Amino acid sequence: IAVFHRGLRDRAASRLEMENALRDAISAEEMELHFQPVVRLSDGAMIGVESLLRWQRPGVGMVEPDTFVPVATDTGLIIPLGRWVIERAVAAAARWPGLEVAANLSARQLNDPDLVGFVHHELTRHGVAPARLCLEVTEADLMADSELVVAQLAELKALGVRLAIDDFGTGFATLDYLRRFAAADILKIDASFVAGVADPSSHDLAIVSAAMVLADNLGF
């Protein structure tokens, strides 16, 4: 027995429409990269920026990545989209020589055998030192295919690019797993923990403090 529900059809049609629109979005220059400042708390200096991908979709307006990135990942469009982000992030680093520029990497991108070569090409083309590019990988994506991910990250590290583990604390990472990825430079504690550090009734401060001690001892 197959039960028809109009909502299922509507969602499928909407997803297909988004996929088709997404295929044309890059060439049509509908994608935008916004930059969020990274501030050093000790002296208030701005030391870098984080790249935030947005889609200015005609007839719809600004689309957040949570809406279209899953579709891009499922369809493989995340590879050309991710390359576009890296290229624009490196170009931004060339414009702002005093800042580090960070960009996100997905698990699908880490399975791209041409990833390291592409990153190296863009850094060379724009004349940007590798250490001024930081590539962020979420904790969940790191667990997707650890052997291949470790190899790709090792090559990026050898290239001189800085690496960050993002959204730490929300996945299923063990301490052994964290030790395997200790070659990363930055540990970013998930915002869900940071948001509650000022709440005296929350345990978030204890969790964040412990994570900071762990990160410091591992050399992040």
Side-chain angles (χ1 to χ4, degrees):
I1 299 173
V3 180
F4 172 79
H5 190 283
R6 188 179 301 277
L8 296 176
R9 185 190 64 183
D10 292 344
R11 283 196 295 273
S14 176
R15 181 183 174 88
L16 181 60
E17 181 188 9
M18 175 171 289
E19 178 183 339
N20 290 333
L22 198 53
R23 290 184 186 279
D24 299 327
I26 300 177
S27 59
E29 298 186 352
E30 296 170 10
M31 291 296 173
E32 297 179 357
L33 213 55
H34 295 189
F35 297 97
Q36 177 172 278
V38 177
V39 176
R40 184 169 55 210
L41 294 180
S42 60
D43 60 3
M46 179 177 164
I47 59 173
V49 292
E50 293 183 5
S51 306
L52 306 176
L53 181 62
R54 298 292 185 267
W55 179 13
Q56 188 66 46
R57 187 177 177 186
V60 177
M62 192 69 70
V63 183
E64 296 289 328
D66 289 349
T67 302
F68 66 85
V69 166
V71 176
T73 301
D74 291 344
T75 59
L77 291 171
I78 195 66
I79 300 298
L81 187 57
R83 289 190 173 202
W84 182 88
V85 170
I86 291 172
E87 191 278 328
R88 293 302 173 94
V90 174
R95 292 196 306 271
W96 305 321
L99 301 176
E100 176 185 280
V101 178
N104 291 320
L105 276 183
S106 70
R108 196 76 178 263
Q109 288 173 271
L110 284 167
N111 282 282
D112 176 12
D114 298 323
L115 172 65
V116 178
F118 177 77
V119 172
H120 180 260
H121 174 268
E122 290 302 317
L123 290 169
T124 303
R125 183 165 75 94
H126 290 282
V128 173
R132 294 190 45 239
L133 175 65
C134 178
L135 296 177
E136 302 182 359
V137 187
T138 67
E139 179 183 301
D141 282 346
L142 285 174
M143 297 187 67
D145 189 345
S146 58
E147 295 303 324
L148 182 58
V149 167
V150 168
Q152 288 274 58
L153 293 181
E155 289 189 46
L156 288 169
K157 185 73 174 178
L159 190 62
V161 172
R162 282 164 59 81
L163 303 172
I165 298 176
D166 200 5
D167 297 343
F168 180 74
T170 58
F172 301 95
T174 64
L175 294 180
D176 177 64
Y177 150 89
L178 187 58
R179 180 175 58 187
R180 293 186 62 203
F181 292 103
D185 302 282
I186 301 168
L187 189 68
K188 297 183 66 179
I189 302 167
D190 188 73
S192 62
F193 295 110
V194 179
V197 293
D199 183 356
S201 64
S202 168
H203 296 297
D204 288 352
L205 180 58
I207 293 172
V208 170
S209 298
M212 290 175 67
V213 171
L214 177 64
D216 188 51
N217 287 334
L218 285 173
F220 289 104

